Amino acid sequence: MGTTAAEQVADRRREQRGWYFYDWACSVYSTSVLTVFLGPYLTSVAENAADTDGFVHPFGIPVRAGSFFAYSVSLSVIVAVLVMPLVGAAADRTGRKKPLLAAAAYTGAAATTAMFFLDGDRYLLGGALLVVANAAQSVAMMLYNSYLPQIAPPEERDAVSSRGWAFGYAAGALVLVLNLVLYLAHDKFGLSESAAVRICLASAGLWWGAFALVPLRRLRDRRSTTEGTTAPTATGFRQLAATLRDMRRHRLTLAFLLAYLVYNDGIQTVISQASLYGSEELGLGQSTLIGAVLLVQVLAVAGALLLGRLARTYGAKRTILGSLVAWTVTLAAGYFLPAGAPVWFFVLAAGIGLVLGGSQALSRSLFSHLVPPGKEAEYFSAYEVSDRGMSWLGPLLFGLTYQLTGSYRDAIISLVAFFALGFVLLARVPVRQAISEAGNPVPARI
């Protein structure tokens, strides 16, 4: 006997709840490691290894110690872009996403856990672990995102995507509270400040690995509709090239990807460099930075759900455009923050938190409507490649601006261009026409 409609809905809800838990698992890495601890800590390790002029020399290349973290993030993105087409093609060809998701997740979790051994002047170890963890996270997110069109019908996607982001920010907030307790009371625990930071870094990897078990149990592999036995090494880039050629027939989908590529680069750079700006330019202590990021996490839960509700009234496109205006205003205001004034840094964090999750969640769900039926995995591979493919440019611009000017204020204001240009590009995309041309039903509000 076949399953009833009620049973199918129950199965879909169960799979969706499992899907949410990967955000719960991996977002702690993004929050505790990439956003809070690793930037300032790896910079201090690099400064310990620097010469009298403030430069380290990885592989003989002179790099200002203050730019090493940003350059490492850029390198990790380049590695991810090289790997993602291969993994995406293998997932599309075999239909077996779960084993690939497991491999990427546990590679990233292991590299993050190994950050416990980052001390003294081991800046090269820190850079290498960052590259591996960040690239693995990118590959895993590519596979994770490609499940969205399979587990949620069009009318549910904004809500499901927003809930996933909300789960992630809730986990980030919870673990940051624990991190804050450990960091502030490290003396009472008999730990040095360095040891406390390294435990916080490693705990993110352990959390990631433990909770990744939930989606790996609940998500289902779907039978592949792709034929062929070409070797994966050849198939990966051929698949990406074929997808981009196919997108030329869906030029409006490609236009949305270009807009997303630009403004998301700005978002990712703010996430990865905000703590560095707060510590190095504003002179704020680690406890202040953790508190500010914790505020971002708490408000991002509400913000993701709020923007999801606004999308039901005003449509996803208009809501995203509004969030980009808010990003631009908030970031420009950040340029004028006075040093040593944590209250204003908290105000800035509140503004970021309210728009952070929603702008990303709605971008993901909006793109799912622009994917031609039967090409979900293929197009979401290109989506993530587009995401990561330009996400090296923001950190690179941030690092270069600091290297040339010696000012983190100049570096942070340079990122406004990504949000302004992204707004213009997205505003020019007729999304209803794009959805129709992709062969999908057009929702009442989009």
Side-chain angles (χ1 to χ4, degrees):
M1 294 179 60
T3 57
T4 66
E7 289 173 334
Q8 290 175 351
V9 170
D11 287 344
R12 188 171 75 242
R13 293 284 187 266
R14 183 178 186 277
E15 196 170 8
Q16 287 173 358
R17 288 192 292 270
W19 187 79
Y20 300 150
F21 263 92
Y22 188 73
D23 247 322
W24 175 272
C26 73
S27 292
V28 171
Y29 164 79
S30 299
T31 304
S32 291
V33 177
L34 199 61
T35 304
V36 177
F37 286 108
L38 191 57
Y41 185 68
L42 183 55
T43 299
S44 70
V45 172
E47 287 172 347
N48 288 340
D51 59 21
T52 55
D53 294 322
F55 285 81
V56 289
H57 300 267
F59 310 107
I61 303 170
V63 174
R64 189 185 290 270
S67 297
F68 181 75
F69 174 70
Y71 289 154
S72 297
V73 172
S74 293
L75 179 59
S76 73
V77 172
I78 294 170
V79 172
V81 170
L82 294 175
V83 174
M84 278 191 288
L86 305 178
V87 177
D92 202 34
R93 189 179 63 258
T94 65
R96 292 178 57 77
K97 294 179 187 176
K98 279 210 300 185
L100 295 169
L101 176 60
Y106 284 103
T107 297
T112 305
T113 304
M115 290 178 185
F116 177 79
F117 301 103
L118 174 60
D119 60 357
D121 59 358
R122 297 178 179 174
Y123 75 97
L124 277 178
L125 174 64
L129 293 174
L130 170 58
V131 168
V132 172
N134 218 35
Q137 164 70 330
S138 299
V139 172
M141 286 302 294
M142 173 197 71
L143 297 165
Y144 166 73
N145 286 338
S146 70
Y147 275 102
L148 179 60
Q150 297 175 338
I151 66 172
E155 66 275 11
E156 294 182 3
R157 287 181 201 165
D158 285 349
V160 170
S161 185
S162 295
R163 288 187 198 119
W165 283 105
F167 258 64
Y169 286 118
L174 173 61
V175 174
L176 266 184
V177 170
L178 300 177
N179 289 159
L180 186 60
V181 170
L182 177 63
Y183 180 80
L184 292 179
H186 63 83
D187 287 336
K188 294 182 180 179
F189 289 104
L191 298 170
S192 66
E193 182 177 343
S194 172
V197 170
R198 290 187 289 114
I199 290 173
C200 291
L201 293 173
S203 66
L206 296 174
W207 178 284
W208 185 357
F211 285 102
L213 292 171
V214 178
L216 291 173
R217 285 182 61 85
R218 292 197 175 186
L219 291 173
R220 295 189 293 109
D221 280 332
R222 271 75 173 175
R223 178 176 299 177
S224 173
T225 58
T226 304
E227 301 292 338
T229 58
T230 308
T233 301
T235 302
F237 292 101
R238 289 178 183 174
Q239 176 84 18
L240 178 59
T243 302
L244 293 176
R245 284 195 299 270
D246 188 68
M247 281 186 178
R248 293 173 63 183
R249 299 190 299 108
H250 303 283
R251 289 179 295 176
L252 297 179
T253 300
L254 195 58
F256 170 81
L257 270 182
L258 177 61
Y260 173 73
L261 179 152
V262 172
Y263 69 73
N264 186 62
D265 193 5
I267 293 173
Q268 296 301 323
T269 307
V270 172
I271 291 172
S272 65
Q273 306 300 323
S275 288
L276 192 61
Y277 179 69
S279 64
E280 299 296 322
E281 183 67 37
L282 303 182
L284 301 176
Q286 190 76 3
S287 59
T288 299
L289 299 177
I290 297 173
V293 175
L294 177 60
L295 178 63
V296 169
Q297 300 300 302
V298 172
L299 291 179
V301 176
L305 298 175
L306 174 62
L307 265 65
R309 289 182 177 273
L310 289 175
R312 290 205 293 268
T313 302
Y314 299 103
K317 178 184 173 181
R318 288 183 178 178
T319 307
I320 295 170
L321 288 172
S323 75
L324 296 182
V325 172
W327 270 109
T328 302
V329 171
T330 302
L331 198 60
Y335 176 82
F336 297 102
L337 286 184
V343 172
W344 288 110
F345 192 71
F346 282 122
V347 171
L348 182 71
I352 291 174
L354 288 174
V355 294
L356 176 60
S359 55
Q360 294 176 310
L362 292 177
S363 296
R364 177 171 63 187
S365 60
L366 179 55
F367 180 75
S368 73
H369 293 287
L370 307 181
V371 176
K375 294 181 178 288
E376 289 85 4
E378 181 181 339
Y379 269 57
F380 263 99
S381 294
Y383 175 83
E384 196 68 19
V385 167
S386 298
D387 176 351
R388 305 301 176 183
M390 281 290 283
S391 290
W392 58 270
L393 186 58
L396 181 62
L397 177 61
F398 187 95
L400 284 174
T401 303
Y402 175 75
Q403 179 145 339
L404 293 173
T405 67
S407 169
Y408 283 106
R409 292 186 187 273
D410 291 339
I412 205 74
I413 199 64
S414 69
L415 302 179
V416 168
F418 290 96
F419 297 103
L421 180 58
F423 180 95
V424 172
L425 293 174
L426 179 59
R428 294 170 59 88
V429 179
V431 292
R432 288 185 170 274
Q433 182 182 344
I435 295 170
S436 178
E437 290 184 0
N440 293 318
V442 181
R445 290 284 184 185
I446 194 65

